[in-house]
Amino acid sequence: MRPIKMVNGRRSAVVDVVTDTRMRIIDATRRRLLADGYAGLSTRKVAEEAGVPLSQLHYHFGSKGGLIIALFTEENDRLLERQTEMYAQDKPLWQRYEQACDFLEDDLESGYVRVLQEMLAAGWSNPEIGDVVRDLLSRWYVLLAEVAREAERRFGSLGPFTPEEIATLVANAFIGSEALLLLGFERPVMPIRSALRRIGVLIREREEAASPPVVAG
């Protein structure tokens, strides 16, 4: 039996039930979106998979669009927090970039990349979804621009690029690569994974060239 929590002298079991119901629906939405795509996503199928009445789904999320917005917001916030913590680590920048490439593999396997690409496609014809996607993705560009500013402070000029332009190139390289990987592009026609990791090699060369030489004692 679910334990009853006390908040200001009142039971919070109802809050727990509401939260559980929302998460069950979001989890079911994720499974159906990965199986059926946005075009084939059915609120009725989602409700059946979540084991809740269709009325509960509409009560919590309002519509099919509301469902995938809630799903994408939850997943995006969690992964952006992961990425922010990773880039804040006291490690060489090239190692952090390598970790970002490793995260790409995790996100492909988990289904997040598919969710993102479905949201991008849905946003082309649904202004509400498009607004949400732009807002959430812009936070990744802001994070990467700050990383580029860190590189500029530590290693000098970024050449003809601003930090925001570097962030745009890197973020768009990943987003475009993700779409093509989902389509099945890979070696030998398009070595996407190795090309992304080659950027880390360039970062390492620049980083090590800017480091003071180690004097043997």
Side-chain angles (χ1 to χ4, degrees), residues 52-66:
V52 301
L54 185 60
S55 59
Q56 280 286 305
L57 183 150
H58 290 300
Y59 172 77
H60 287 288
F61 301 102
S63 66
K64 173 178 168 177

Side-chain angles (χ1 to χ4, degrees), residues 13-55:
V14 172
V15 175
D16 290 348
V17 169
V18 170
T19 301
D20 284 353
T21 300
R22 284 181 59 87
M23 290 310 302
R24 282 165 57 195
I25 295 172
I26 287 176
D27 289 344
T29 301
R30 188 176 188 281
R31 291 192 296 271
R32 294 316 319 166
L33 182 65
L34 294 177
D36 304 328
Y38 178 72
L41 185 67
S42 161
T43 55
R44 186 173 299 280
K45 286 184 180 179
V46 170
E48 290 174 356
E49 183 140 341
V52 301
L54 185 60
S55 59

Side-chain angles (χ1 to χ4, degrees), residues 34-143:
L34 294 177
D36 304 328
Y38 178 72
L41 185 67
S42 161
T43 55
R44 186 173 299 280
K45 286 184 180 179
V46 170
E48 290 174 356
E49 183 140 341
V52 301
L54 185 60
S55 59
Q56 280 286 305
L57 183 150
H58 290 300
Y59 172 77
H60 287 288
F61 301 102
S63 66
K64 173 178 168 177
L67 271 178
I68 65 165
I69 286 173
L71 167 64
F72 184 57
T73 299
E74 191 273 333
E75 296 214 356
N76 188 80
D77 287 350
R78 174 173 52 83
L79 296 183
L80 182 58
E81 181 179 4
R82 176 200 69 184
Q83 215 83 356
T84 301
E85 291 175 354
M86 182 273 291
Y87 274 119
Q89 293 176 352
D90 185 19
K91 291 182 177 180
L93 182 56
W94 69 267
Q95 290 184 1
R96 287 175 280 166
Y97 178 84
E98 283 287 319
Q99 182 65 68
C101 292
D102 292 341
F103 283 156
L104 170 59
E105 300 301 328
D106 295 341
D107 297 342
L108 283 164
E109 184 176 351
S110 72
Y112 168 75
V113 168
R114 171 72 184 279
V115 172
L116 168 60
Q117 296 295 329
E118 291 283 356
M119 291 291 293
L120 287 169
W124 298 338
S125 57
N126 185 315
E128 180 186 7
I129 294 174
D131 288 344
V132 171
V133 172
R134 283 193 302 274
D135 175 63
L136 294 178
L137 283 186
S138 68
R139 302 176 194 178
W140 291 80
Y141 288 81
V142 169
L143 170 62

